[in-house]
Amino acid sequence: MSSYEVSRIVQRCQKERDDALRREESSRDKLKHLEVSSRSQIQELRTKLKEVTNENKNLHRTVKKLRIDMGLEGNPRFKGKMTRDIIKELHEQEDQCSHLKEENRLLSVQLREMIPIIANTQEQKANLQTQLKDMESKMRDLAKDNTQLSQLLQESRKDKEDLERAYMMYKKSIEDAKNVTSRSIQTTTSIPVILPTTYKRVSREAASSQTSQVMLEKRKASLDTSNSPPISAGSAQKTFARTVRNQS
């Protein structure tokens, strides 16, 4: 190699060496700066860790105190559980409470919609109760009238039976009276009657009037016998004699 090439190679190596030194210095400075910053950060993290541990200890003490105050230590449901488990359950209960609040809101809306319907049904119930009371009073009145009518019907039946009994007795008495009158007439007709030999000649008109009068008297006598109690044989003979005397 020539001296020129060697010089060129040496210059290039020197340049590379200088660049490496500069990079080394810069990287050393960066490293120092990183060490300083990391040390400061580590110190800050240590202080924070100490603060967090102290706070965690305080929180543990407060949580333990609160568990004792709330009775969770003696409760078998929460006994032996960690704080995170209790917090998880509390979060779940909070979610359930929010869900229940939403359902309560919907139910309140439905309740507001149902309030007028309930008021209307209550009014209808009151009207139906008044109608029911009126119907009950009417039913009591009808039952009272029915009892009175049944009593009147029984009384009318009793009166009817009494009238039928009286009618039968009256009919029997009439038949007995008819039988007695028929017997008395037979006995009176069997008695011989002697007419006088001398009698006056009467005209046809007088005879017809006398016969009509006799027929009327007979009809009256039959009516009197049917309406009056049974007559004796002597009275029947007297009436027959009177009719014969009138005819003569």
Side-chain angles (χ1 to χ4, degrees), residues 3-32:
S3 60
Y4 178 74
E5 290 177 353
V6 171
S7 63
R8 290 288 299 274
I9 290 168
V10 170
Q11 288 178 358
R12 188 175 63 193
C13 289
Q14 288 178 353
K15 188 178 180 182
E16 289 178 356
R17 185 191 64 185
D18 293 334
D19 293 334
L21 290 171
R22 282 194 298 272
R23 286 195 300 272
E24 184 181 1
E25 289 178 356
S26 64
S27 61
R28 190 180 291 113
D29 293 332
K30 287 180 181 179
L31 181 61
K32 287 180 180 179

Side-chain angles (χ1 to χ4, degrees), residues 107-153:
L107 289 172
S108 63
V109 172
Q110 292 179 0
L111 182 63
R112 284 195 296 271
E113 291 177 355
M114 290 175 69
I115 282 170
I117 299 170
I118 292 168
N120 191 9
T121 52
Q122 287 180 354
E123 187 177 358
Q124 290 179 359
K125 182 181 178 182
N127 293 325
L128 289 172
Q129 284 179 354
T130 53
Q131 291 179 3
L132 182 63
K133 288 181 181 177
D134 295 334
M135 292 297 290
E136 285 178 353
S137 62
K138 288 181 181 178
M139 286 294 291
R140 285 194 293 271
D141 294 334
L142 288 172
K144 189 175 179 181
D145 294 336
N146 191 8
T147 53
Q148 290 179 358
L149 288 173
S150 63
Q151 289 177 359
L152 290 173
L153 183 61

Side-chain angles (χ1 to χ4, degrees), residues 153-166:
L153 183 61
Q154 290 178 359
E155 290 177 358
S156 62
R157 285 178 180 174
K158 189 175 180 181
D159 294 336
K160 185 179 178 182
E161 290 176 356
D162 294 337
L163 289 172
E164 287 179 353
R165 197 179 294 110

Side-chain angles (χ1 to χ4, degrees), residues 192-210:
V193 178
I194 300 170
L195 295 175
T197 56
T198 61
Y199 59 90
K200 294 181 180 179
R201 189 183 295 273
V202 293
S203 61
R204 290 182 179 178
E205 294 178 358
S208 62
S209 64
Q210 286 179 359

